[in-house]
Amino acid sequence: MASAPTTKLGNGQLPQGFTSPFTRIPMEGTHDSLLACAATLTGKSMGDVRKMAITLGMRPNGAFFIDEVLFRKILFNVSNLAVSDYKDFTRIDALPDVCVLCVDFLPDETSHHIVFHHIKGTAQQPAFHYVIDSATWVDPAKQITCDFSHLNMKPAWYLEITQRSSPAGKSK
């Protein structure tokens, strides 16, 4: 859990010299934030993630809905990542090191998903956390940021992301 004290960074910028292990993959539509989170977490293209989602049952055309079950199946098939069930968000410092946050919830509408990453502190750098937002409508300064002020996190949920002990279909 991300419970160690963290540093507040000015203007939401990541610490100088830090490079995220995740590359932000932008959404292609208005409701595919979970697909973009899967692409960001795995380093795959949106095309590759979308193909897998269609293989696993997502509609190839028209309206579609991606839930945590399909998200879990996508990650299982394209990576060695495991995904928890949704858990209630209580506070930033209680989040796991890597998760997908479900934010900007509106009843009877969809919500938005973003990648959260906590970096443990070292002797050279204090602990901090940041988010990667795949939305194309978000100000570029807020797409990868330590500033969460633009996010509606009441209510919010998260999916914890962990490494599986071995990749899909391979025994130890």
Side-chain angles (χ1 to χ4, degrees):
M1 290 280 190
S3 59
T6 57
T7 222
K8 290 271 187 189
L9 301 170
N11 299 325
Q13 296 181 359
L14 300 179
Q16 188 160 349
F18 174 78
T19 302
S20 174
F22 306 112
T23 300
R24 179 185 173 272
I25 306 295
M27 294 170 55
E28 293 177 346
T30 58
H31 293 82
D32 57 356
S33 63
L34 266 177
L35 285 181
C37 286
T40 295
L41 288 165
T42 63
K44 306 286 184 191
S45 70
M46 279 291 278
D48 289 343
V49 170
R50 185 177 303 281
K51 282 180 201 171
M52 181 54 68
I54 291 167
T55 299
L56 295 168
M58 184 182 87
R59 292 175 53 153
N61 304 322
F64 61 86
F65 176 75
I66 302 169
D67 62 7
E68 76 275 14
V69 174
L70 180 55
F71 180 71
R72 183 178 298 115
K73 289 178 183 178
I74 293 167
L75 278 143
F76 182 86
N77 281 277
V78 301
S79 72
N80 67 337
L81 299 176
V83 181
S84 72
D85 290 331
Y86 274 113
K87 299 176 182 180
D88 291 333
F89 169 83
T90 55
R91 65 186 202 286
I92 293 288
D93 288 339
L95 289 172
D97 289 342
V98 179
C99 67
V100 171
L101 278 169
C102 175
V103 297
D104 297 332
F105 173 78
L106 294 172
D108 301 324
E109 293 187 33
T110 62
S111 52
H112 182 59
H113 292 82
I114 59 177
V115 173
F116 170 90
H117 189 199
H118 174 75
I119 302 299
K120 291 178 168 71
T122 65
Q124 296 78 30
Q125 177 177 290
F128 69 97
H129 32 252
Y130 65 99
V131 293
I132 302 173
D133 193 331
S134 61
T136 55
W137 60 85
V138 172
D139 179 328
K142 304 279 186 182
Q143 291 174 349
I144 301 176
T145 185
C146 295
D147 176 10
F148 304 162
S149 63
H150 65 292
L151 300 171
N152 176 13
M153 296 171 58
K154 293 188 190 241
W157 301 269
Y158 67 93
L159 298 165
E160 182 174 7
I161 308 297
T162 56
Q163 294 278 355
R164 288 196 323 258
S165 56
S166 64
K170 296 186 180 176
S171 60
K172 283 189 158 182

